[in-house]
Amino acid sequence: MTGLSRARVARRIAAGAAYGGGGIGLAGAAAVGLLLAEAQLARRRVGNGASGHVPNADGLYGASYTVPGEPALRLTMLGDSTAAGQGVHRAGQTPGALLASGVAAIAERPVGLSTVAVPGARSDDLERQVTLALADPSRVPDVCVIMIGANDVTHRMPPAHSVRHLSSAVRRLRTAGAEVVVGTCPDLGTIEPVRQPLRWLARRASRQLAAAQTIGAVEQGGRTVSLGDLLGPEFAANPRELFGPDNYHPSVEGYATAAMAVLPTVGAVLGLWPAEEERPDAARREGFLPVARAAAEAAEEAGTEVTAAMPSGPRGPWALLKRRRRRRLPEPEPAPSTQPT
């Protein structure tokens, strides 16, 4: 499938979300029976993301940067097991703790982390999670990170429905005053026990959803980062290192890889990144594209950021596509037992 074809598919899914349609099938009706048969075999060998221990990482990070009278930044994690950190044993190994520690080091301010993500969640759970995140109007998060989509694919939620729920969540958070960064659906085609042809179908489905998620989130004022890395090329090359014991959730190194991909965009939305890195760099193939084209390209390359740019053009809204340089994450400090302030 060409880049333009991928862009058209993503736009059709996003349009279905906006206008209430069901959207197109992710893998095509003819493949559904085969997909279900192979999925049943695969599920016997991997976890489904709905159970298992999740460390409680909520708390204050970067406490040494505390200045009297200056409040801590607030970071909230929403989404599924990858946002919650299922598969690791210590709180400091979760993506929320890694991001909170990274933002604290960049901003030289403490960061209060709150997690409402739930293992096994699909996009239709985001309404509940957003309500929790915004429960206290005096403590609206400065930035929310959403990681969602894998369970939508494995449970065959219509992609337009997925995007509709995500778009609504981003809109509510932005209206409340929070910045939003969405880690789009990871590439499920590299889960180790999954064999062909399910592997190909899973890759196609997850990348189509990731591109459509990008359109929906960006049009509501959020930014997206492709999480193909989360279960993508780096996992395929190093499955024993980057997958956890269940061969499904990321390991400690895998979550660090994902957090390192998201951190530059979180820093950028908070105004913490160097100004020169906000300009597109032609040498890194960055630039302005129609949003559907940018979404399709981002879905093919992990770590790629998409953000709204010019409001409209001959081919609809435009976006800025960036391939940010990744920064090494600082060692996370243990979160205290008290809630973030």
Side-chain angles (χ1 to χ4, degrees):
M1 186 180 291
T2 67
L4 290 176
S5 296
R6 288 190 294 267
R8 283 195 291 269
V9 170
R11 170 54 70 190
R12 287 173 61 190
I13 294 171
Y19 295 107
I24 64 170
L26 282 176
V32 169
L34 178 61
L35 182 62
L36 288 176
E38 291 284 349
Q40 288 175 354
L41 293 175
R43 284 174 183 172
R44 296 174 185 173
R45 301 182 60 190
V46 299
N48 63 8
S51 62
H53 173 69
V54 179
N56 180 6
D58 289 4
L60 191 69
Y61 294 80
S64 60
Y65 296 116
T66 300
V67 174
E70 184 175 357
L73 292 169
R74 298 190 182 99
L75 165 65
T76 298
M77 301 292 296
L78 304 91
D80 56 23
S81 56
T82 54
Q86 183 175 352
V88 298
H89 299 292
R90 297 202 302 271
Q93 298 168 337
T94 63
L98 293 168
L99 287 171
S101 297
V103 172
I106 296 169
E108 297 187 345
R109 285 177 63 183
V111 176
L113 171 66
S114 177
T115 304
V116 296
V118 178
R122 288 171 278 181
S123 294
D124 54 5
D125 190 52
L126 287 176
E127 181 178 3
R128 183 191 64 83
Q129 294 185 24
V130 170
T131 298
L132 291 174
L134 301 178
D136 185 349
S138 67
R139 296 171 56 83
V140 172
D142 293 287
V143 60
C144 293
V145 175
I146 304 174
M147 296 180 179
I148 199 80
N151 296 312
D152 296 17
V153 173
T154 59
H155 290 78
R156 300 191 307 132
M157 176 180 286
H161 294 183
S162 299
V163 175
R164 188 180 308 133
H165 290 301
L166 175 62
S167 299
S168 176
V170 174
R171 181 170 58 251
R172 288 180 63 194
L173 292 169
R174 293 291 292 128
T175 299
E179 298 290 348
V180 181
V181 175
V182 176
T184 56
C185 182
D187 183 351
L188 299 179
T190 50
I191 298 175
E192 200 172 36
V194 177
R195 297 178 295 181
Q196 297 291 10
L198 177 59
R199 182 185 298 270
W200 179 85
L201 293 170
R203 170 170 286 122
R204 181 185 177 199
S206 53
R207 290 187 178 185
Q208 285 180 356
L209 179 57
Q213 286 177 318
T214 295
I215 296 173
V218 168
E219 289 183 345
Q220 298 301 326
R223 298 194 191 194
T224 64
V225 178
S226 170
L227 287 187
D229 262 352
L230 193 59
L231 295 172
E234 294 185 20
F235 277 69
N238 302 288
R240 298 301 181 198
E241 178 182 348
L242 294 179
F243 276 121
D246 62 3
N247 288 331
Y248 185 90
H249 292 97
S251 65
V252 174
E253 293 82 4
Y255 277 123
T257 299
M260 187 167 59
V262 173
L263 178 61
T265 301
V266 173
V269 300
L270 292 173
L272 304 175
W273 227 235
E276 59 270 18
E277 292 206 9
E278 295 307 296
R279 295 188 291 270
D281 185 344
R284 298 206 298 263
R285 296 178 293 116
E286 298 178 345
F288 297 96
L289 294 168
V291 65
R293 176 80 178 276
E297 288 200 16
E300 297 296 317
E301 183 175 345
T304 304
E305 175 193 310
V306 180
T307 186
M310 296 170 279
S312 63
R315 287 178 284 177
W318 284 63
L320 173 61
L321 183 145
K322 290 189 65 63
R323 297 173 171 88
R324 293 187 182 275
R325 296 184 181 93
R326 299 182 186 180
R327 304 296 176 89
R328 182 179 296 275
L329 291 163
E331 288 295 324
E333 59 184 86
S337 58
T338 56
Q339 292 297 309
T341 58

